[in-house]
Amino acid sequence: MATRGILYAVFVLPVIFSIVFGSAVMADILQEPDRELNMWRIGSVSSHDKSIQIIGLAQQYSTSSPVKVLVSVDDHSYDCGDLYLTIYSGNNVVTQSGFLEQCFVKDNSQLPIDDEFSEILDTPGQYELVAEIKDKSQKHTISASGKFTVK
């Protein structure tokens, strides 16, 4: 009989205490402003979202022609966010350009605003261009990608 009491005290009570204490801490944290519980989304990147598109990406480029693209974003919650255009060769980053505070809603503009993305890749191969835009608070990101070949 005494061993049963010790068993509860050693194994069961700590589990119950942990659950109660963890729930109280989580409830307190979720009461803070701008806090949310989002367990289903891994990370904050929505890959290949329909609200972002790469415009002007060709299937093939020569080693002497520049890769020039524009980005169109339909989601107004990303207005005045930061745009990043990255070119990958496999898992390696070849080049990345950042365009900060891209405010596009007012003029319904394509990105980058008052700037240009233009890169010449002099090594033949398969590449992937990834366009990512982060919202103004840097909490959420949407992205789109496209593959192309340089010959």
Side-chain angles (χ1 to χ4, degrees), residues 79-107:
D79 187 36
C80 297
D82 297 341
L83 173 68
Y84 298 97
L85 295 170
T86 309
I87 297 178
Y88 293 93
S89 175
N91 291 330
N92 299 323
V93 174
V94 176
T95 183
Q96 183 178 51
S97 297
F99 304 93
L100 306 179
E101 297 180 10
Q102 297 291 296
C103 300
F104 57 88
V105 170
K106 181 179 173 186
D107 298 327

Side-chain angles (χ1 to χ4, degrees), residues 4-5 22 31 35 39 41 52 55 58-59 67 74 76 80 83 90 105 107 113-115 119-120 123 138 149:
R4 182 174 265 172
Q31 295 300 317
R35 288 289 189 154
M39 295 174 60
R41 225 172 145 186
I52 183 172
I55 300 169
Q59 295 291 319
V67 177
D74 294 333
H76 297 310
C80 297
L83 173 68
V105 170
D107 298 327
I113 296 173
D114 298 331
D115 209 341
E119 293 290 336
I120 294 178
T123 306
Q138 301 290 315
T149 304

Side-chain angles (χ1 to χ4, degrees), residues 105-136:
V105 170
K106 181 179 173 186
D107 298 327
N108 201 17
S109 303
Q110 293 177 336
L111 308 176
I113 296 173
D114 298 331
D115 209 341
E116 179 181 84
F117 177 79
S118 178
E119 293 290 336
I120 294 178
L121 303 172
D122 55 6
T123 306
Q126 296 278 353
Y127 294 91
E128 181 177 18
L129 173 72
V130 177
E132 295 179 310
I133 189 161
K134 296 179 180 267
D135 67 352
K136 197 171 189 176

